[in-house]
């Protein structure tokens, strides 16, 4: 679940995205201060817009909003006040984590791509990576599916040249870190870092 708020640019509206999947067609249903966004074909709720949000709880963010348990409870209560019967299923796990590249093999359909098996703690993700310096045995930064990059790009499950990819191995520049090198390549971390631990931007 991703939240966005920009009072100066858009107004007093909280945008809540529940899925990283791109809908084919969206329909909107309004209930008081809540606009419910649904996938037209399936009727699945994919997001909400909460209008006049400052009348429900304070928000000082400008851009992406950090999701906390308190904010999730406040938003759930705002839905109830607007007679929207929907229980939020919130994932508070970090979206930027340390990963360990267990395996690397050449992509069968692209010379500059590699298929990596990356241990992120409780799971191993298959990530297609085009960085020239990625190697097995490295500790790296992984943006998991659902992560919002500093550029605003949302990480989604993808298929690159016919191979499934879940997540992204990041460069310092993509993470908008200070003094990022100009040359292409992923950020390689100290070997002492633990796979699965959160990486703070």
């Amino acid at each position: 679940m991703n939240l966005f708020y920009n009072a100066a640019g858009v107004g007093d509206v909280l945008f809540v995205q529940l899925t990283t999947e791109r809908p084919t067609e969206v329909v909107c249903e309004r209930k008081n201060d809540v606009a419910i966004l649904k996938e037209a074909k399936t009727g699945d709720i994919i997001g909400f817009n909460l209008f006049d949000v400052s009348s429900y709880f304070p928000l000082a963010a400008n851009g992406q909003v950090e999701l906390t348990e308190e904010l999730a409870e406040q938003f759930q209560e705002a839905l109830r006040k607007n007679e929207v019967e929907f229980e939020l299923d919130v994932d508070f796990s970090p979206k930027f984590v340390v990963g360990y590249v267990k395996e690397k093999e050449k992509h069968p359909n692209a010379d500059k791509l590699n298929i990596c098996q990356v241990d992120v703690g409780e799971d191993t993700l298959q990530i297609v990576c085009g960085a020239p310096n990625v190697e097995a045995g490295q500790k790296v930064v992984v943006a998991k599916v659902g992560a919002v990059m500093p550029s605003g790009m949302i990480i989604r499950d993808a298929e690159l040249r016919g191979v499934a990819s879940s997540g992204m191995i990041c460069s310092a520049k993509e993470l908008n870190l200070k003094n990022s090198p100009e040359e292409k390549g992923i950020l390689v971390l100290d070997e002492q870092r633990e796979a699965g631990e959160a990486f703070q931007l």
Side-chain angles (χ1 to χ4, degrees):
M1 186 165 88
N2 290 310
L3 294 82
F4 304 91
Y5 182 75
N6 183 345
V10 182
D12 194 20
V13 184
L14 179 66
F15 300 92
V16 179
Q17 179 190 49
L18 299 179
T19 176
T20 60
E21 299 297 318
R22 288 188 174 92
T24 53
E25 185 181 351
V26 178
V27 293
C28 180
E29 174 187 332
R30 184 75 182 256
K31 279 200 171 183
N32 303 312
D33 284 336
V34 178
I36 306 165
L37 307 174
K38 298 181 178 180
E39 167 66 65
K41 289 183 179 179
T42 63
D44 293 338
I45 296 177
I46 59 173
F48 297 98
N49 295 342
L50 176 62
F51 296 89
D52 198 20
V53 65
S54 59
S55 68
Y56 294 94
F57 46 83
L59 266 184
N62 181 21
Q64 186 179 14
V65 179
E66 181 183 355
L67 181 61
T68 63
E69 290 188 30
E70 179 184 14
L71 182 56
E73 290 171 3
Q74 290 171 326
F75 183 73
Q76 184 72 72
E77 182 59 27
L79 291 179
R80 290 193 190 98
K81 287 180 178 178
N82 285 279
E83 301 176 348
V84 177
E85 296 181 7
F86 183 84
E87 291 297 322
L88 296 172
D89 182 14
V90 185
D91 176 13
F92 291 106
S93 65
K95 293 295 180 271
F96 292 91
V97 298
V98 176
Y100 173 71
V101 183
K102 295 164 60 177
E103 300 174 24
K104 171 193 137 179
E105 61 178 295
K106 292 299 292 180
H107 192 297
N109 303 316
D111 292 340
K112 294 184 179 180
L113 297 178
N114 294 292
I115 304 168
C116 300
Q117 305 299 325
V118 187
D119 176 4
V120 292
E122 295 183 355
D123 200 5
T124 296
L125 303 178
Q126 177 170 287
I127 301 176
V128 176
C129 179
N133 65 327
V134 66
E135 295 293 346
Q138 291 172 333
K139 296 287 178 66
V140 297
V141 180
V142 174
K144 296 167 69 177
V145 171
V148 180
M149 301 297 291
S151 66
M153 179 180 72
I154 297 171
I155 302 301
R156 297 177 166 91
D157 280 316
E159 189 174 288
L160 300 174
R161 297 288 186 93
V163 175
S165 182
S166 295
M168 176 179 174
I169 301 175
C170 303
S171 70
K173 192 172 185 179
E174 289 164 335
L175 297 170
N176 200 28
L177 301 180
K178 289 182 180 180
N179 303 316
S180 301
E182 287 300 317
E183 60 269 17
K184 292 183 178 180
I186 56 165
L187 175 64
V188 179
L189 302 175
D190 189 289
E191 292 182 2
Q192 304 306 313
R193 300 293 294 266
E194 291 292 327
E197 72 175 87
F199 182 84
Q200 299 297 326
L201 299 185

